[in-house]
């Protein structure tokens, strides 16, 4: 076997970004992906990103108008391992492709239905646009921007990206279940699941009132300093920014985004820029935590002036010599693609495309030592392989020799050791925990520094569902415990910088000797190679690197830090771990893998992660941050705001008819999609007048009735949407759990969290795994390893481990034997 998914057959009937990106990754690693062109054609072929998202696939044009054509589609699915569809709910059944029909002929089929808001409920027929999901769910109302007291367009396609990652992870988990039981199952995902990633407020305690809906600019700066997610930080404004997160202009007019939320990193940066003197100044010696606003602003102004003394490249060289400095130049995704660090890690490949010639594209999603991706074929022309593929029908359904077992959950029986801190990598562990894996988070005795931000929903989201073991890996006894955990584990994941695992003795070469079939993943920031490999990185600095921030900030505006890169990276880490698990599933061998924050975030921007001669410039939001074009943007109405998504010709024609403006439809300037983009300002001005004539709710009703995607964008905050919207409640999108860590908020610590993001028909995920505290499971886990209470007490005394205060009180009652008299393990 030369690739992970060699011999795996996938039928792809998806449109947009999320579905095609999922199957692209499968194709990159060896799956045979056959794309069925949808019944009404796919206007997204007009978007150049389709040349990336469909690389390595075959394309078949089915005659959907006749039973013979539909029978051919059914035969393809009945001979496949995976079927992924993004049809409107109920459409597959109309075409004779419903799950019950095809699964009767192919019981091993894994059938994935992906929609905007689910298969049932009042929003089930909403079209699957990121903008529609973001607007309806309140994310545009909560989106930080330069405009005040109104929604801001969410430009970055993180909803589709996260949905794609969740889809891939679920498919691999379902393949694992199938290998055990011999049976496939039906999976359901939604674009709405993409909003469950961190960086959105979501937590509500039982009985708690939802706070008033405020726009970001209406929130106090004190809330921002506590790490809450609702304030507009304005990192490029010295009067509102905090010294730990500054976006400063340099001598040559470039901007550098900094993030030094750890005190040691802030100190290193202050030394590197020549500001060590502040430690001796009583006004600034407690920086970056300066409660006096005048002191904070004064320090910011001095730092901003200092940054203007050198060019961006000069500061980059200084930061490379001082790798604890977390600062990155604001750049576009195109610049990221050409960056020497990105290329040093093998993140760029080249293909010859029949439409545009030589093409540079973002490369494989993850590095896999023994079974790397093989990307050799460009995207097909629509229908290119019709005769070739249909000529091989009929296909026999896959025959699976089951290994035995009947798991209740998708990843039941899988144990993950997470030795990672902050948000990006730990979020991945939470995702695998929701899928049923046992995730053991190994932390230092002082805890993951992120735990200090107890009011931060990001932290709670990333730490939920895990068993928490506090362990001193720098001690011989602590390392011994870690090795015993590894011996029983399937996956080890860490995000230490290169060289640290070797110094600690937890590198792959060492752990592989303990567990030869171990899946080992390094969740890096800049990867393991190149001039930036040792540098620190945090959420907004990777937003600067990947193009997130420039894209989101709006043309002509000062750049603003984007806070989505950590969760984007975390979804990618989870995908990397599932890739490794798939490799072991199909080969029986363990694997060393790497993901990087760089690559995951460029994947999120993959609508621009390619280049060729004559490539059109990426559409970006204007200064007002309303949208990308006249038919994909926010509009003010008589009493609020709506978001419109009607880019394609048929949608635009339906829009013009519904608003009574056939004259716009027939205007030569607006005939085709490219025409409307070229004249977006004129068309936008005409539609602005139209939308101000009616109320937002009325526009939503009128246009949805005409099958034009348009929703109110300012109805409520995202938090209120999650907990009060009838459709969301009907989906059971949120679920209740409880934690002793929150009894000060609710007498039993009960709170509402997201339910798992994908539904499995046969092996449902477990709802409601809670957040728990540092060392909560230390004693229980050590007990499983054979440690008795006396030995645990001894390890506590020697500061090898830590337990909760509640358990410490119990252990303090134990009279244990003298040191050395009790065995450390069975």
């Amino acid at each position: 076997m030369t690739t992970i998914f060699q011999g795996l057959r996938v039928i792809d009937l998806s449109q947009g970004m999320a579905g095609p990106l999922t199957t692209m990754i499968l194709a990159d690693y060896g799956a045979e992906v056959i794309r069925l062109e949808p019944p009404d054609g796919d206007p997204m072929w007009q978007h150049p990103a389709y040349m990336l998202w469909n690389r390595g696939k075959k394309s078949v044009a089915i005659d959907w108008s006749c039973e013979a054509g539909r029978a051919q589609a059914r035969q393809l699915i009945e001979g496949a391992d995976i079927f992924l569809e993004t049809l409107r709910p109920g459409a597959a059944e109309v075409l004779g492709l419903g799950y019950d029909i095809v699964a009767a002929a192919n019981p091993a089929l894994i059938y994935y239905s992906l929609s905007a808001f689910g298969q049932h409920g009042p929003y089930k027929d909403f079209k699957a646009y990121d903008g529609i999901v973001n607007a309806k769910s309140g994310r545009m109302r909560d989106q930080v921007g330069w405009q005040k007291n109104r929604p801001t367009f969410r430009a970055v396609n993180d909803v589709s990206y996260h949905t794609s990652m969740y889809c891939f992870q679920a498919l691999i988990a379902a393949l694992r279940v199938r290998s055990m039981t011999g049976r496939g199952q039906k999976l359901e995902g939604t674009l709405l699941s993409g909003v469950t990633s961190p960086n959105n407020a979501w937590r509500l305690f039982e009985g708690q009132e939802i706070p008033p809906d405020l726009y970001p600019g209406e929130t106090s700066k004190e809330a921002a300093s506590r790490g809450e997610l609702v304030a507009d930080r304005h990192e490029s404004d010295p009067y509102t920014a905090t010294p730990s997160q500054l976006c400063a202009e340099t001598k040559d007019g470039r901007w550098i985004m900094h993030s030094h939320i750890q005190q040691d990193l802030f100190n290193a940066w202050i030394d590197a820029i020549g500001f060590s003197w502040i430690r001796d100044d009583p006004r600034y010696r407690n920086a970056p935590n300066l409660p006096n606003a005048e002191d904070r602003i004064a320090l910011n102004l001095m730092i901003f002036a200092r940054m203007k003394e050198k060019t961006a490249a000069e500061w980059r060289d200084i930061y490379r010599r001082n790798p604890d400095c977390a600062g990155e130049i604001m750049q576009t995704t195109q610049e990221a693609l050409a960056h020497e660090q990105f290329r040093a890690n093998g993140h760029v490949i080249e293909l010859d495309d029949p439409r545009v010639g030589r093409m540079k594209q973002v490369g494989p999603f993850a590095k896999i030592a023994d079974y790397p991706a093989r990307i050799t074929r460009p995207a097909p022309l629509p229908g290119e392989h019709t005769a070739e593929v249909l000529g091989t029908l009929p296909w026999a359904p896959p025959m699976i020799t089951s290994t035995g077992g009947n798991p209740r959950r998708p990843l039941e029986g899988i144990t993950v050791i997470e030795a990672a801190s902050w948000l990006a990598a730990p979020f991945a562990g939470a995702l695998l925990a929701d899928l049923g894996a046992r995730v053991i988070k190994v932390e230092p005795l002082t805890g993951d520094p992120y735990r200090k931000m107890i009011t931060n929903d990001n932290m709670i989201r990333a730490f939920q569902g895990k068993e928490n073991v506090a362990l001193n890996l720098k001690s011989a006894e602590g390392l011994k415990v870690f090795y015993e955990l590894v011996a029983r584990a399937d996956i080890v994941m860490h995000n230490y910088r290169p060289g640290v695992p070797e110094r600690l003795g937890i590198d792959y070469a060492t752990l592989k000797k303990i567990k030869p079939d171990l899946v080992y993943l390094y969740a890096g920031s800049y990867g393991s190679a190149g001039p930036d490999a040792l540098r620190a990185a945090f959420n907004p600095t990777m937003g600067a690197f990947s193009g997130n921030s420039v894209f989101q900030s709006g043309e002509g505006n000062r750049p603003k830090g984007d806070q989505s890169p950590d969760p984007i990276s975390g979804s990618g880490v989870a995908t990397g771990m599932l890739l490794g698990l798939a490799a072991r599933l199909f080969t029986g061998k363990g694997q060393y893998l790497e993901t990087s924050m760089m690559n995951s975030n460029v994947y999120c921007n993959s609508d621009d992660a390619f280049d060729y001669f004559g490539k059109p410039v990426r559409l970006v939001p204007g200064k007002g941050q309303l949208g990308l074009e006249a038919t994909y943007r926010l509009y003010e109405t008589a009493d609020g705001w709506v978001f419109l998504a009607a880019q394609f010709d048929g949608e635009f024609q339906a829009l013009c008819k519904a608003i009574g403006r056939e004259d716009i439809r027939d205007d030569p300037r607006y005939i085709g999609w490219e025409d409307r983009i070229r004249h977006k300002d004129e068309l936008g001005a005409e539609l602005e007048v139209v939308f101000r004539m009616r109320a937002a709710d009325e526009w939503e009703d009128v246009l949805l009735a005409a099958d034009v995607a348009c929703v109110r964008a300012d109805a409520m905050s995202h938090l209120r949407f999650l907990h009060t919207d009838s459709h969301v409640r009907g989906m059971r999108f949120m679920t209740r759990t409880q934690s002793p860590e929150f009894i000060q908020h609710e007498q039993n610590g009960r709170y509402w969290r997201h339910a798992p993001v994908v539904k499995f028909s046969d092996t449902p995920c477990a709802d409601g795994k809670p957040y728990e505290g540092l060392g909560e499971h230390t004693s229980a886990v050590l007990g499983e390893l054979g440690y008795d209470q006396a030995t645990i007490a001894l390890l506590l005394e020697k500061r090898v481990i830590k337990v909760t205060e509640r358990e410490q009180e119990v252990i303090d009652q134990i009279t244990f034997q003298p040191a050395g008299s009790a065995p450390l393990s069975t």
Side-chain angles (χ1 to χ4, degrees):
M1 180 180 286
T2 57
T3 55
I4 295 173
F5 299 119
Q6 182 175 320
L8 192 75
R9 181 175 286 157
V10 180
I11 304 300
D12 178 5
L13 182 52
S14 68
Q15 295 178 258
M17 175 179 171
L21 183 61
T22 302
T23 54
M24 183 201 82
I25 298 173
L26 290 168
D28 286 352
Y29 290 93
E32 180 188 18
V33 179
I34 298 171
R35 173 184 164 82
L36 302 186
E37 299 304 327
D40 297 323
D42 192 346
M44 274 297 293
W45 277 112
Q46 300 175 64
H47 196 300
Y50 253 35
M51 290 185 286
L52 168 63
W53 296 334
N54 288 299
R55 70 186 179 197
K57 304 175 187 178
K58 297 176 181 178
S59 174
V60 172
I62 293 290
D63 184 355
W64 298 99
S65 65
C66 67
E67 175 53 34
R70 295 190 292 272
Q72 289 173 326
R74 193 159 53 248
Q75 285 182 306
L76 291 171
I77 298 166
E78 290 171 353
D81 297 281
I82 293 172
F83 175 50
L84 172 61
E85 59 93 1
T86 60
L87 299 167
R88 306 280 278 277
E93 286 74 14
V94 172
L95 294 172
L97 307 179
Y99 174 69
D100 291 339
I101 296 172
V102 294
N106 181 1
L109 178 68
I110 296 168
Y111 185 114
Y112 198 109
S113 292
L114 176 59
S115 61
F117 286 90
Q119 301 295 313
H120 307 283
Y123 306 159
K124 69 181 179 64
D125 291 322
F126 283 17
K127 293 185 176 179
Y129 285 104
D130 277 37
I132 293 297
V133 172
N134 282 326
K136 189 66 178 177
S137 69
R139 284 191 81 208
M140 288 193 190
R141 195 187 192 286
D142 292 351
Q143 174 64 47
V144 168
W146 289 107
Q147 314 303 318
K148 299 297 183 184
N149 302 317
R150 69 156 172 84
T152 294
F153 174 64
R154 177 63 183 163
V156 178
N157 294 314
D158 50 353
V159 162
S160 276
Y161 167 84
H162 284 294
T163 302
S164 174
M165 296 297 105
Y166 302 157
C167 178
F168 183 90
Q169 294 153 25
L171 289 173
I172 302 307
L175 284 170
R176 173 183 177 266
V177 171
R178 188 182 74 163
S179 72
M180 301 168 71
T181 67
R183 301 187 305 273
Q185 57 182 309
K186 185 177 183 182
L187 283 59
E188 292 182 10
T190 67
L191 280 187
L192 185 62
S193 70
V195 307
T196 68
S197 63
N199 209 44
N200 303 310
W202 55 267
R203 184 174 40 153
L204 193 71
F205 294 103
E206 182 73 4
Q208 177 188 1
E209 289 189 13
I210 298 173
D213 294 344
L214 299 176
Y215 283 102
E218 298 178 279
T219 309
S220 70
K221 298 300 181 288
E222 290 75 16
S225 68
R226 292 195 298 269
E228 296 179 14
L229 300 176
V230 289
D232 193 342
R233 292 179 174 86
H234 285 310
E235 301 93 342
S236 52
D237 181 354
Y239 293 92
T240 61
T242 60
S244 62
Q245 294 204 28
L246 294 178
C247 183
E249 190 176 12
T250 62
K251 185 177 181 179
D252 55 346
R254 300 298 297 265
W255 294 77
I256 298 181
M257 181 70 220
H258 301 86
S259 183
H260 298 100
I261 53 179
Q262 285 185 198
Q263 187 69 51
D264 58 334
L265 300 185
F266 182 80
N267 293 341
W269 178 55
I270 286 299
D271 292 341
I273 67 173
F275 268 47
S276 303
W277 59 267
I278 69 171
R279 295 196 189 92
D280 300 319
D281 191 312
R283 290 184 68 189
Y284 309 123
R285 62 189 174 197
N286 292 324
N289 302 310
L290 299 175
N292 183 291
E294 291 184 1
D295 295 344
R296 173 180 56 79
I297 293 168
L299 179 58
N300 285 347
L301 288 170
M302 288 187 287
I303 293 174
F304 272 59
R306 172 64 173 147
M307 294 301 295
K308 281 199 170 185
E309 295 176 10
K310 297 182 184 296
T311 66
E314 289 171 331
W315 284 120
R316 182 192 60 195
D317 291 341
I318 290 172
Y319 294 170
R320 282 177 170 171
R321 294 194 297 272
N322 298 273
D324 282 348
C325 295
E328 195 56 67
I329 300 169
M330 288 281 193
Q331 62 183 8
T332 65
T333 302
Q334 287 291 296
E335 290 174 304
L337 207 64
H339 197 285
E340 58 183 317
Q341 181 65 23
F342 199 70
R343 290 178 171 270
N345 282 273
H347 292 328
V348 179
I349 58 103
E350 294 191 15
L351 290 173
D352 289 315
D353 187 274
R355 287 150 287 220
V356 299
R358 197 67 174 168
M359 190 176 185
K360 297 174 183 175
Q361 298 181 354
V362 64
F365 189 81
K367 289 184 179 180
I368 303 181
D370 295 335
Y371 295 94
R374 294 183 62 189
I375 305 171
T376 59
R377 292 191 292 116
L381 298 173
E384 178 181 345
H385 303 93
T386 303
E388 171 191 333
V389 171
L390 296 184
T392 63
L393 292 176
W395 293 340
M399 300 299 295
I400 307 301
T401 302
S402 62
T403 60
N406 192 29
R408 297 171 302 160
R409 312 295 181 202
L411 291 184
E412 185 176 82
I414 296 296
T415 298
V416 180
I417 307 300
E418 175 191 298
S421 59
W422 291 101
L423 173 56
F427 178 45
L431 291 172
L432 268 62
D434 280 355
L435 287 168
R438 183 185 190 189
V439 180
I440 300 174
K441 181 176 177 64
V442 176
E443 302 175 70
L445 304 193
T446 54
D448 188 321
Y450 203 14
R451 283 193 187 272
K452 296 176 182 178
M453 297 186 180
I454 193 63
T455 62
N456 190 306
D457 281 7
N458 279 356
M459 186 274 289
I460 304 302
R461 177 75 172 99
F463 285 25
Q464 287 177 147
K466 304 174 186 178
E467 297 175 46
N468 302 309
V469 174
L471 189 62
N472 179 7
L473 291 179
K474 295 181 180 179
S475 69
E477 296 99 326
L479 193 59
K480 184 176 186 296
V481 173
F482 188 82
Y483 288 162
E484 290 168 350
L485 290 173
V486 170
R488 301 180 179 209
D490 300 280
I491 301 172
V492 169
M493 179 269 289
H494 76 85
N495 65 349
Y496 292 110
R497 282 185 265 177
V500 175
E502 287 77 9
R503 291 196 295 273
L504 290 174
I506 63 170
D507 55 288
Y508 178 58
T510 298
L511 301 189
K512 184 180 180 181
K513 295 175 184 177
I514 298 170
K515 187 73 184 299
D517 66 346
L518 183 69
V519 174
Y520 182 102
L521 186 137
Y522 167 43
S525 298
Y526 289 96
S528 60
D532 296 317
L534 298 178
R535 291 187 57 209
F538 281 92
N539 207 3
T541 61
M542 275 300 150
F545 182 97
S546 63
N548 281 30
S549 298
V550 170
F551 187 36
Q552 182 61 48
S553 295
E555 193 171 19
N557 293 322
R558 280 180 294 166
K560 180 187 290 292
D562 185 64
Q563 299 296 322
S564 64
D566 266 353
I568 289 169
S569 303
S571 286
V573 173
T575 291
M577 286 193 281
L578 267 296
L579 263 174
L581 197 62
R584 193 181 74 168
L585 176 67
F586 292 123
T587 70
K589 298 180 180 179
Q591 295 293 319
Y592 174 85
L593 301 96
E594 291 183 12
T595 60
S596 73
M597 293 181 74
M598 290 188 306
N599 202 34
S600 293
N601 278 275
V602 169
Y603 258 70
C604 187
N605 288 275
S606 56
D607 59 300
D608 194 44
F610 51 88
D611 192 23
Y612 55 87
F613 180 76
K615 174 189 174 295
V617 176
R618 187 186 200 181
L619 294 176
V620 298
K623 191 174 182 65
Q625 296 180 285
L626 293 170
L628 298 180
E629 53 183 282
T631 53
Y632 197 76
R633 57 160 280 192
L634 289 158
Y635 282 98
E636 188 173 12
T637 69
D639 67 342
W641 291 83
V642 295
F643 184 82
L644 171 71
Q647 295 172 285
F648 304 125
D649 293 349
E651 296 171 329
F652 179 67
Q653 292 163 11
L655 168 68
C656 293
K657 181 178 180 181
I659 65 176
R661 291 296 306 271
E662 285 84 352
D663 60 309
I664 295 179
R665 179 198 63 195
D666 298 333
D667 190 315
R669 294 174 296 173
Y670 313 137
I671 292 297
W673 188 15
E674 291 184 0
D675 301 313
R676 294 188 290 276
I677 291 173
R678 193 177 306 113
H679 298 283
K680 62 181 180 179
D681 292 337
E682 303 101 295
L683 178 56
E686 296 211 48
L687 292 178
E688 284 175 358
V689 174
V690 172
F691 276 103
R692 288 196 186 99
M693 294 178 179
R694 295 186 182 186
D697 289 337
E698 186 179 358
W699 276 124
E700 179 174 320
D701 291 343
V702 168
L703 293 181
L704 289 177
D707 202 27
V708 176
C710 179
V711 296
R712 183 160 194 162
D714 63 347
M716 64 186 80
S717 67
H718 182 64
L719 181 66
R720 190 174 301 278
F721 174 81
L722 291 178
H723 295 284
T724 68
D725 184 89
S726 61
H727 180 93
V728 176
R729 292 169 70 91
M731 293 174 66
R732 296 188 68 247
F733 197 70
M734 306 299 287
T735 187
R736 191 174 68 180
T737 188
Q738 64 185 86
S739 169
E741 297 298 310
F742 299 138
I743 56 175
Q744 72 274 27
H745 297 285
E746 200 275 339
Q747 61 179 354
N748 296 306
R750 293 175 297 183
Y751 70 101
W752 289 85
R753 53 152 288 177
H754 301 105
V757 293
V758 176
K759 293 181 179 180
F760 290 71
S761 62
D762 294 357
T763 55
C765 299
D767 286 353
K769 292 184 179 180
Y771 168 86
E772 297 188 85
L774 173 66
E776 180 72 36
H777 307 91
T778 302
S779 290
V781 171
L782 264 63
E784 287 185 45
L785 297 176
Y787 291 76
D788 60 25
Q789 286 293 308
T791 307
I792 291 172
L794 178 62
L795 293 175
L796 278 166
E797 183 183 44
K798 297 174 70 174
R799 294 193 55 76
V800 175
I801 62 173
K802 186 174 183 178
V803 298
T804 62
E805 292 181 4
R806 300 186 304 278
E807 192 168 8
Q808 182 70 59
E809 294 174 358
V810 175
I811 292 175
D812 286 344
Q813 308 299 318
I814 298 174
T815 302
F816 52 84
Q817 302 172 24
S821 63
L824 283 180
S825 66
T826 55

